[in-house]
Amino acid sequence: MEHLTLLIGVVIVTALVFDFTNGFHDTANAMATTISTGALAPKAAVAMSAVLNLVGAFLSVQVAKTISGGIIDEKAGVKPEVIFAALVGAIVWNLVTWLAGLPSSSSHALFGGLIGATLVAVGAHGIHGNAIVMKILIPAVVSPLVAGVAAMLATRATYRIGRDADPQATSKGYRAGQIASAALVSLAHGTSDAQKTMGVITLALVTGGMVAPHSDPPLWVILAAASAMGLGTYLGGWRIIRTMGKKLTDIQPPQGFAAQTAAATTILASAHLGFALSTTHVVSGAVTGTGFGRRGAEVRWGVVRRMVLSWLITLPAAALVAGGATFVALQGSWGVLLVGLLGAAVCAGSWLVSMRRPVDHTNVNDVEELVAPGQPDTAAPEFDAFAADPALTATIPAPQPQTVQKEAAL
Amino acid sequence: MNINWGALASVAGVSLIGTVGLVGLFTVGIVGLSRQQQSARATGYAAFALCAAAVAYGIYLIVG
């Protein structure tokens, strides 16, 4: 057993920061519809989600054991610097999309970061292309569609079965159903996403020779990852909650219930069969689908289009940032320090920009000031989905200038 | 490139049937409990019990 080096310590802290942004980014998945329909008060909703994420993280270590080995080749010479750069890429992308209020996938940001960093560090042979297509790309396309269709059919079914019932008498039941289904999504999220961070920390420990390859994550890793995710969830990415709960479509309690049940079912069914899919994609697909299920509901295509676009660019964008960061980090200790400083600068910058128009638990459901798509000038100061581009160029002092340009061009 | 269409189809099938089944059953439960008749309430409770069992099975799948 070797000593914990400073570099591995830095990697672990960075992984926990990523885990925090992951929880923060994905609170919306479980709680957006619960909050927007008023089934739970915003603070109570995020607190419940945080506790269930924490519990979920302890349920299983299956994903953690396969997450890193499945996509990148551990034996190809992946060094702690590379993992560090991958995490910085993922964190930067998570913060930028949060600022824009875009529900993009934290998992894709992490995978993109790992792929980009490995490509730069060891080349294409370090990547398992087959696993990327089968485990990431295909589920990314299929899962939102399946969840959307399931949510649409379920919404129709619940309105049909309940059409003769007294709305007053059924509202309590729908509220309970929403809380229960959101709880299940939170639990599934804690299980799948916290494990991704545990997998990365364990990978770092393996590269440092501190744990044997293919071993389970040590208990302190599980504890730390679960706590970081719970804390991130509790603080809540209110901007994304607003997009999912209010902007995609107007959600009634039966729809929220149907959408969350569709999401939970899809996540559990695919986790059981070994697909690492994105909770975010599934929930967004389900919320959009439920908009088609209720007569008179309207799906806002402008928001859906921007959201899907952000899904498409998440993996390559995180890969580009991570690739640039890897190039710099491999130059030596000063490179690692520079990447760390730039990453910290992006975090601070995003937070400062977000303070100009804060979105929190007090105003998350206030969307009357929202403008229709096509009037970007009024929406721009909000750093909303409408203003994704200014946010990108203004807040990524990425390691390479050309990285930023490529991203903006996308 | 080896795409496992069978696994994809079964995920899609399980998701669709599971979602519509659970939501339908839960709605039967809600509607049942909103009525006064004894039989309707009994149906409602039975539907909720089935939902709870399905959810417990789902959690068992994550843990397993």
Side-chain angles (χ1 to χ4, degrees), chain A residues 16-401:
Chain A
L16 293 175
V17 171
F18 169 76
D19 203 25
F20 175 85
T21 66
N22 188 339
F24 180 74
H25 211 274
D26 292 0
T27 317
N29 294 340
M31 288 304 169
T33 64
T34 319
I35 290 170
S36 71
T37 57
L40 278 176
K43 275 281 179 191
V46 293
M48 185 180 110
S49 184
V51 170
L52 287 163
N53 263 289
L54 197 72
V55 173
F58 287 94
L59 289 184
S60 164
V61 292
Q62 284 309 313
V63 180
K65 278 169 80 178
T66 52
I67 194 73
S68 45
I71 294 152
I72 58 171
D73 193 345
E74 286 169 304
K75 294 186 282 296
V78 174
K79 292 196 277 186
E81 289 92 332
V82 178
I83 302 174
F84 172 66
L87 287 166
V88 170
I91 292 170
V92 165
W93 188 250
N94 256 356
L95 284 175
V96 170
T97 48
W98 160 71
L99 204 55
L102 285 171
S104 68
S105 165
S106 302
S107 320
H108 278 207
L110 180 63
F111 294 148
L114 282 171
I115 292 168
T118 310
L119 273 178
V120 169
V122 297
H125 69 272
I127 306 279
H128 292 156
N130 208 349
I132 291 173
V133 172
M134 192 57 213
K135 287 192 177 160
I136 303 180
L137 296 184
I138 291 180
V141 175
V142 174
S143 63
L145 292 175
V146 168
V149 172
M152 182 185 80
L153 295 177
T155 307
R156 292 209 173 136
T158 192
Y159 274 109
R160 172 155 299 203
I161 296 169
R163 68 183 184 273
D164 296 329
D166 173 19
Q168 209 120 50
T170 55
S171 69
K172 232 168 92 187
Y174 277 121
R175 184 165 174 256
Q178 272 194 287
I179 295 170
S181 55
L184 207 55
V185 174
S186 297
L187 199 71
H189 182 263
T191 310
S192 69
D193 279 29
Q195 282 194 60
K196 287 166 189 156
T197 303
M198 292 176 210
V200 170
I201 296 178
T202 309
L203 182 68
L205 293 174
V206 170
T207 60
M210 271 167 290
V211 299
H214 306 295
S215 52
D216 282 359
L219 183 65
W220 67 266
V221 172
I222 301 178
L223 269 172
S227 314
M229 175 154 286
L231 187 65
T233 307
Y234 181 68
L235 287 177
W238 299 106
R239 286 162 190 271
I240 302 172
I241 293 176
R242 179 186 269 182
T243 302
M244 264 199 190
K246 284 286 177 188
K247 289 193 193 168
L248 283 172
T249 182
D250 291 314
I251 294 173
Q252 305 286 318
Q255 289 176 289
F257 165 57
Q260 296 292 42
T261 308
T265 313
T266 310
I267 294 165
L268 293 181
S270 49
H272 185 57
L273 285 153
F275 292 106
L277 46 80
S278 158
T279 327
T280 312
H281 291 180
V282 173
V283 176
S284 319
V287 169
T288 310
T290 196
F292 289 111
R294 177 170 66 94
R295 206 167 297 158
E298 176 197 1
V299 173
R300 296 191 189 91
W301 283 112
V303 180
V304 175
R305 208 168 43 234
R306 266 185 298 277
M307 184 178 76
V308 172
L309 195 71
S310 80
W311 293 354
L312 291 178
I313 62 175
T314 289
L315 205 148
L320 273 174
V321 178
T326 307
F327 182 77
V328 176
L330 286 175
Q331 305 303 311
S333 299
W334 65 268
V336 175
L337 187 68
L338 182 65
V339 169
L341 287 176
L342 285 173
V346 172
C347 295
S350 302
W351 186 76
L352 284 175
V353 173
S354 81
M355 285 295 113
R356 283 198 221 149
R357 285 289 292 266
V359 178
D360 61 19
H361 64 98
T362 57
N363 63 354
V364 64
N365 282 339
D366 302 342
V367 283
E368 54 274 8
E369 80 274 19
L370 285 176
V371 291
Q375 290 173 266
D377 47 337
T378 20
E382 204 182 341
F383 278 94
D384 204 330
F386 304 106
D389 279 348
L392 277 177
T393 43
T395 55
I396 308 189
Q400 260 82 35

Side-chain angles (χ1 to χ4, degrees), chain B residues 24-36:
Chain B
L25 208 54
F26 198 88
T27 314
V28 169
I30 294 174
V31 172
L33 290 199
S34 74
R35 304 240 154 98
Q36 298 304 321

